[in-house]
Amino acid sequence: MNKTHDELKSLIAPYVLGAVSPEEVEEVRSHIISCEECMAEADSYSSAVSSLALSVPPEAIPDALIDNVMREARADAKQPVAAVPTVPDDSDRPSVTELRTSRPIYTLVAAAAALLIVAVLAGALITTTNELDDTRDQLAAERERVEQLARTEGAMRLGSPSGDVIGAMLPTDEGGVFFAHGLDDPPSDHIYQVWLLDDGQPTSAGTFDPASGVGGLQTDHSLDGVDGVAVTVEPTGGSRAPTGRPVLST
Amino acid sequence: MDRSEDRAIVKRLLERDEDALREVMSMFGGLVFAMAKRVVADPTMAEEVAQDAFLALWRRPGSYNSDRGSLQSFLLGVTRNKAIDLVRHEESLKKTKDALVTEAEAASEGPSGDEQVVGMEERDELRAALSSISEVHREAVVLAYFGGRTYREVAAELGIPEGTAKTRLRDGLAKLRQALTNRPELT
């Protein structure tokens, strides 16, 4: 840990090639997010990395591949896209008040010890919520910021069916940080609730109320084993389990 | 296939249209399987990786974002990552340096074959770009990208200092980027 800028910069190319050790991934990712210079360098390699993938000549599709995939796809075709199941009434899941607590991202601004990545996210949020010059360029820049975060290794990107709303869930040392852009205000007496999916089973990561289309939260729930994230609109206070189709999902 | 077609077929996947999944596999199955085989030494396991990649798209079509590249590039990236995860857990599935380099050189110098999605002309340009990189740079990049080696493993395998391995990876990508400059958008 605590590598210098130059040391981290030397790991940008290995990082985009997926060639840094698991122990270094988090540190390099956090640095890229916070450093414009390194972010630009990482972006500059995207065409080269894509060309590596596209250089592989196609082969004949194995006979069984399509049939095998279709068989498995049909098996879970009954599930909604984000695979957010309803929870049985006799579930022993915690009540609303026992749901994992979350802190609105605003409060993180004051937390000097917050991870740098969180500060960057919060900064982006403040930029938007304080906007008096709500220009299209600025909104596009904010959206791009979320896209950049979602592009980092280990992050999960969320999208809406229309593509208008995007979100990113990023792992941190203490759990995860979620950030979304392009949200409509929820109906009155409702909020957005974030769900972590583990084999399709949802666990609440907390609730948030967006401002100017932007919202987010920090969760202390580990993202280890989490294979998807979804956001639903729920009554204020949150729900024990998702009650509607996700507005955002991985 | 342009991005509007990518978006259209992903929209159908979101609507749970099984025909859309079948179409995606018909279009990209050969490329996805080839990518898995490039990384994984066992063809049967490579086929499983390809299946996992398509099922991942079926289960989470929203993870594709057309602003960031083509559906083809996305699928190949998913496939590559799944294949790398596999070989990192199962050492016996890892390809040797010689096999990786030989395959990469064949791909960069060989004639265009049965082209499916990336057009023949486009793939020729990619091949030209890859072959323009020096052997030492190509070797390092191929070991990392297709071989799943970390930069430390690249250094150990090539018998060079870690700093040199990092530099070769950086310069290899930079030279590849340079060779691709002013060419049509490939992603």
Side-chain angles (χ1 to χ4, degrees), chain B residues 1-10 64 66:
Chain B
M1 188 167 183
D2 62 29
R3 299 285 167 79
S4 63
E5 290 176 86
D6 285 344
R7 283 192 290 272
I9 205 157
V10 168
Y64 167 65
S66 62

Side-chain angles (χ1 to χ4, degrees), chain A residues 3 6-7 9-14 16-24 40-41 43-83 143-144 147 150-153 157-163 166 197 199-200 227-229 245 249-250, chain B residues 11 13-16 18-19 21-22 25-31 33-35 37-38 47 50-52 54-55 58-65 67-68 70 72-73 76-77 80 84 88 107-108 113-118 122-123 126-127 129-130 140-142 144-146 148-152 154 165-167 169-174 176-177 180 186-187:
Chain A
K3 290 183 172 65
D6 287 348
E7 286 171 330
K9 187 173 166 60
S10 74
L11 291 174
I12 303 299
V16 299
L17 285 163
V20 295
S21 67
E23 299 75 38
E24 291 170 316
E41 181 173 336
D43 278 348
S44 75
Y45 295 136
S46 62
S47 65
V49 174
S50 290
S51 74
L52 288 168
L54 297 172
S55 72
V56 179
E59 297 201 14
I61 304 173
D63 292 339
L65 192 149
I66 292 180
D67 287 345
N68 288 344
V69 172
M70 293 309 299
R71 189 168 51 247
E72 289 211 36
R74 284 192 195 101
D76 58 22
K78 299 184 188 74
Q79 295 286 331
V81 170
R143 183 184 170 95
E144 178 54 24
E147 287 288 9
R151 207 178 294 155
T152 59
E153 191 166 338
R157 182 188 185 280
L158 291 82
S160 63
S162 68
I166 57 171
L197 308 176
D199 282 339
D227 55 19
V229 180
R245 287 185 66 84
S249 63
T250 45
Chain B
K11 183 169 182 289
L13 291 172
L14 282 161
E15 293 162 352
R16 317 314 280 148
E18 291 182 10
D19 287 340
L21 177 60
R22 198 178 286 277
M25 285 191 285
S26 295
M27 283 187 287
F28 305 120
L31 286 164
F33 176 57
M35 168 60 89
K37 254 184 81 181
R38 177 62 69 84
E47 194 172 332
Q51 289 175 18
D52 284 349
F54 285 117
L55 282 168
W58 172 251
R59 288 167 181 156
R60 308 232 180 274
S63 56
Y64 167 65
N65 174 10
D67 293 340
R68 288 163 55 191
S70 67
Q72 175 181 240
S73 287
L76 290 175
R80 184 261 176 191
I84 294 293
R88 283 183 177 164
S108 65
D114 175 24
E115 304 300 333
Q116 290 184 337
V117 182
V118 173
E122 201 168 315
R123 194 179 300 284
L126 291 172
R127 289 186 172 121
L130 276 173
V141 168
V142 163
Y145 187 75
F146 292 114
R149 270 65 153 183
T150 66
Y151 69 90
R152 289 196 180 95
V154 169
K166 288 189 283 188
T167 302
L169 293 175
R170 184 196 67 200
D171 291 351
L173 284 181
L176 193 50
R177 178 185 62 206
L180 292 164
L186 299 171
T187 60

Side-chain angles (χ1 to χ4, degrees), chain A residues 155-216:
Chain A
M156 285 180 275
R157 182 188 185 280
L158 291 82
S160 63
S162 68
D164 294 339
V165 189
I166 57 171
M169 176 67 88
L170 295 92
T172 66
D173 289 343
E174 297 169 347
V177 171
F178 174 78
F179 198 57
H181 180 276
L183 292 161
D184 291 330
D185 287 341
S188 62
D189 299 327
H190 285 72
I191 44 149
Y192 287 103
Q193 189 160 4
V194 180
W195 305 94
L196 305 177
L197 308 176
D198 186 353
D199 282 339
Q201 290 301 312
T203 300
S204 176
T207 61
F208 68 93
D209 205 0
S212 300
V214 180

Side-chain angles (χ1 to χ4, degrees), chain A residues 72-223:
Chain A
E72 289 211 36
R74 284 192 195 101
D76 58 22
K78 299 184 188 74
Q79 295 286 331
V81 170
V84 180
T86 56
V87 176
D89 290 341
D90 59 352
S91 164
D92 57 0
R93 289 171 185 279
S95 67
V96 172
T97 53
E98 292 169 327
L99 285 172
R100 204 170 295 282
T101 57
S102 65
R103 284 165 284 170
I105 204 160
Y106 300 98
T107 64
L108 299 176
V109 180
L115 293 170
L116 185 53
I117 175 178
V118 176
V120 171
L121 290 168
L125 178 61
I126 288 168
T127 302
T128 301
T129 52
N130 284 351
E131 42 75 31
L132 294 174
D133 52 347
D134 183 11
T135 65
R136 184 169 297 185
D137 285 349
Q138 187 178 359
L139 289 174
E142 296 293 353
R143 183 184 170 95
E144 178 54 24
R145 170 66 75 179
V146 178
E147 287 288 9
Q148 287 175 340
L149 295 171
R151 207 178 294 155
T152 59
E153 191 166 338
M156 285 180 275
R157 182 188 185 280
L158 291 82
S160 63
S162 68
D164 294 339
V165 189
I166 57 171
M169 176 67 88
L170 295 92
T172 66
D173 289 343
E174 297 169 347
V177 171
F178 174 78
F179 198 57
H181 180 276
L183 292 161
D184 291 330
D185 287 341
S188 62
D189 299 327
H190 285 72
I191 44 149
Y192 287 103
Q193 189 160 4
V194 180
W195 305 94
L196 305 177
L197 308 176
D198 186 353
D199 282 339
Q201 290 301 312
T203 300
S204 176
T207 61
F208 68 93
D209 205 0
S212 300
V214 180
L217 55 78
Q218 184 189 35
T219 175
D220 57 3
H221 190 295
S222 169
L223 300 187

